[in-house]
Amino acid sequence: MSGIAAGFGAVFGTPVAGAVFALEVLTIGRMQYEALLPSLLAAIVADWTCHVWNISHVHYSIAYLSGAGEGIGFQLDALLMLKVVVASVAFGLAAHLFAELSHVTSSAYKAIQPYAPLRPVLASAILIGLVYLLGTREYLGLGVWSPNPEDATILGFFRPDHIDYWSWAWKGLFTLITLSAGFKGGEVTPLFFIGAALGSALAGVLGAPPDLFAGLGFVAVFAGATNTPLACMIMGIELFGATHSIYIAVACFVAYLCSGHSSIYLSQRVGVPKTAAANDIPPDISVRHMRDMNAHAKGDLLARGRLRSLRTTANLQEGPNVMNSHKLSSRDVGMVRIYMKAREKAVGKAAWFGGGKPLYRELVMQAKASGIMNAVAHHTHFGYSNSGKLQDEGFEISNPDLTMCVELIADRDELEHFCRSHGALLKNKVIIYKHIEHWDVLDHSLTTEESFEDTTL
């Protein structure tokens, strides 16, 4: 987190925003305040180092009401505020679209070209074709400035007399093609370009100040794409001053809400859902895992729809059919749960063969070798074992002292033999045995002997 704060604060010259960004970006809706001071110190020292080495940052300024509102600290106009809200919704939707398209484009590259080193080659051919098609190279770089005064740049969008309607879309397309193929040059500054260009375009549509809306889009699109509204609000104030702080805050917060639970960072976790309607999201799930779950859910829904259609067609053509075409057979088995710390290592004889593996991994591997039916290890989130200290899972960093659970399922005599054979590993561990049933799903058309030979759960 300190590294994130230092990098962000140094690159953009916004140390306070860098510190808050490091706290916000790891988990949506939750901040780890114990890292506040280290993150702030890292960001300040990094920014200070840049100044000591005479490394300057690009200066952005909003001419709208410059000087008139500086004595007040902020300015508020009801009609302008309404336009800001409308634009902020567009900023949030643009952030959502960019994040989703980046993941979709990345998947498309993998499907078209499974060999990873050739994906940038494919992207290069597409980019070169677009450059010749448009007759310009202005969308290739970061877009902060250009030696050609006619090119679209971030600085150009802050001109009060400048309105550009389509540069945001072209820059988004070029950026998606580039980053999704595997090029890693950063998505932060291109998102600033897209936001500032979109703000300029919306200013022309809504009849608002172009430079003000360029500044709002600059921070709001990034706030929606990274789910960091507080950091982006502070960055806007650090870059543009406090005159338009209310507009900046509204733009960042509304864009954050309208961007949904998408993110350009798939490892980002959802700590607290953005709205009450999204309370069905599992706690601390990553954006990547949530996208996979949604994809599976959509696939299951489509599959159920197709199955229902097939059943309906079959019923119409062949009349009623028997739905219960399978039967269940059960037998008694047992389950053992063994509790330990995640950092515990295998000891004794297993350490020689397992190379000092974590104990839970060694137990699962030994269970596999012993022919145990099922062996899995579970991460717990909160609790203790053997009257030890209460432990809680870290929000951003895993807690190595939190209790792990190894679960074994097999016949009771197999479980007893396993525990006796690995007594050195299981000594002083909390071990729980539970009686359960194992169900076999049998084909109704098979005989009992054939069913047990040909089917497994």
Side-chain angles (χ1 to χ4, degrees):
M1 296 173 73
S2 297
I4 293 173
F8 196 98
V11 170
F12 304 112
T14 55
V16 180
V20 178
F21 179 82
L23 300 177
E24 271 192 301
V25 73
L26 297 181
T27 306
I28 299 173
R30 184 184 293 146
M31 298 174 68
Q32 192 172 344
Y33 284 98
E34 61 209 53
L36 183 60
L37 187 57
S39 297
L40 180 62
L41 288 176
I44 292 175
V45 170
D47 183 55
W48 182 38
T49 304
C50 290
H51 287 293
V52 169
W53 283 34
N54 294 321
I55 299 173
S56 59
H57 301 90
V58 178
H59 177 69
Y60 302 101
S61 61
I62 298 176
Y64 176 69
L65 291 181
S66 61
E70 290 180 359
I72 304 174
F74 65 90
Q75 184 268 347
L76 185 61
D77 178 90
L79 180 59
L80 183 57
M81 176 63 76
L82 179 61
K83 295 178 181 179
V84 168
V85 172
V86 173
S88 302
V89 173
F91 295 148
L93 295 177
H96 176 84
L97 183 65
F98 181 89
E100 292 300 313
L101 286 179
S102 65
H103 306 318
V104 170
T105 308
S106 179
S107 300
Y109 273 121
K110 294 176 183 178
I112 297 172
Q113 179 50 258
Y115 186 53
L118 288 181
R119 293 173 201 153
V121 178
L122 175 61
S124 300
I126 298 173
L127 291 173
I128 292 172
L130 285 174
V131 168
Y132 278 98
L133 177 66
L134 298 178
T136 179
R137 299 166 57 93
E138 59 187 315
Y139 304 118
L140 289 178
L142 289 177
V144 177
W145 66 280
S146 173
N148 183 4
E150 300 301 321
D151 285 351
T153 62
I154 299 178
L155 281 175
F157 299 132
F158 282 85
R159 297 204 304 266
D161 59 343
H162 179 77
I163 294 178
D164 190 323
Y165 288 101
W166 293 109
S167 286
W168 65 274
W170 286 116
K171 185 63 175 179
L173 178 62
F174 273 72
T175 305
L176 288 171
I177 293 172
T178 303
L179 297 183
S180 300
F183 286 109
K184 296 301 177 186
E187 61 281 312
V188 178
T189 304
L191 277 172
F192 291 160
F193 183 109
I194 295 169
L198 180 57
S200 174
L202 291 173
V205 174
L206 299 173
D211 53 341
L212 173 62
F213 272 53
L216 298 181
F218 184 102
V219 293
V221 171
F222 186 67
T226 60
N227 298 295
T228 56
L230 293 177
C232 291
M233 178 193 69
I234 296 172
M235 180 173 65
I237 295 174
E238 285 186 293
L239 290 176
F240 313 131
T243 302
H244 307 293
S245 56
I246 291 184
Y247 298 134
I248 294 172
V250 170
C252 292
F253 296 170
V254 173
Y256 166 77
L257 289 176
C258 293
S259 65
H261 293 92
S262 61
S263 175
I264 58 175
Y265 305 128
L266 289 176
S267 59
Q268 195 173 44
R269 295 186 174 274
V270 182
V272 179
K274 295 184 180 182
T275 62
N279 280 334
D280 58 336
I281 297 177
D284 294 322
I285 186 175
S286 67
V287 174
R288 183 190 307 276
H289 190 191
M290 186 173 63
R291 284 175 53 82
D292 293 340
M293 288 178 59
N294 292 337
H296 288 311
K298 291 177 181 178
D300 292 342
L301 182 62
L302 292 174
R304 286 196 297 268
R306 288 193 296 266
L307 180 60
R308 187 179 298 110
S309 176
L310 290 173
R311 287 174 175 172
T312 303
T313 303
N315 290 341
L316 290 175
Q317 294 176 351
E318 303 175 5
N321 58 355
V322 180
M323 299 302 298
N324 296 324
S325 60
H326 295 79
K327 61 181 180 179
L328 294 175
S329 174
S330 64
R331 63 188 180 92
D332 293 339
V333 293
M335 177 175 65
V336 164
R337 287 184 173 176
I338 310 165
Y339 297 90
M340 67 207 69
K341 293 180 181 179
R343 68 166 64 193
E344 289 190 63
K345 300 292 185 179
V347 295
K349 181 180 178 181
W352 293 94
F353 296 96
K357 293 184 179 68
L359 179 57
Y360 69 90
R361 293 180 62 89
E362 182 64 30
L363 287 173
V364 171
M365 293 174 65
Q366 293 291 338
K368 175 67 175 177
S370 300
I372 298 295
M373 183 189 306
N374 281 81
V376 294
H378 299 289
H379 279 285
T380 57
H381 295 281
F382 177 72
Y384 68 95
S385 182
N386 267 336
S387 302
K389 179 182 176 182
L390 275 172
Q391 300 284 345
D392 198 359
E393 177 67 292
F395 296 134
E396 282 80 25
I397 303 174
S398 60
N399 182 358
D401 292 320
L402 195 62
T403 302
M404 289 283 296
C405 173
V406 172
E407 181 180 281
L408 309 177
I409 298 177
D411 292 330
R412 176 167 181 144
D413 56 348
E414 292 184 64
L415 295 174
E416 290 179 354
H417 177 73
F418 179 85
C419 291
R420 292 192 189 100
S421 303
H422 300 85
L425 298 176
L426 301 178
K427 187 177 181 181
N428 299 324
K429 300 294 182 293
V430 175
I431 305 175
I432 304 298
Y433 175 83
K434 184 177 181 181
H435 170 77
I436 58 176
E437 283 189 355
H438 173 224
W439 287 6
D440 278 309
V441 181
L442 308 177
D443 193 327
H444 188 71
S445 62
L446 298 177
T447 63
T448 303
E449 291 77 16
E450 292 173 328
S451 299
F452 279 104
E453 290 176 359
D454 299 337
T455 62
T456 57
L457 180 61

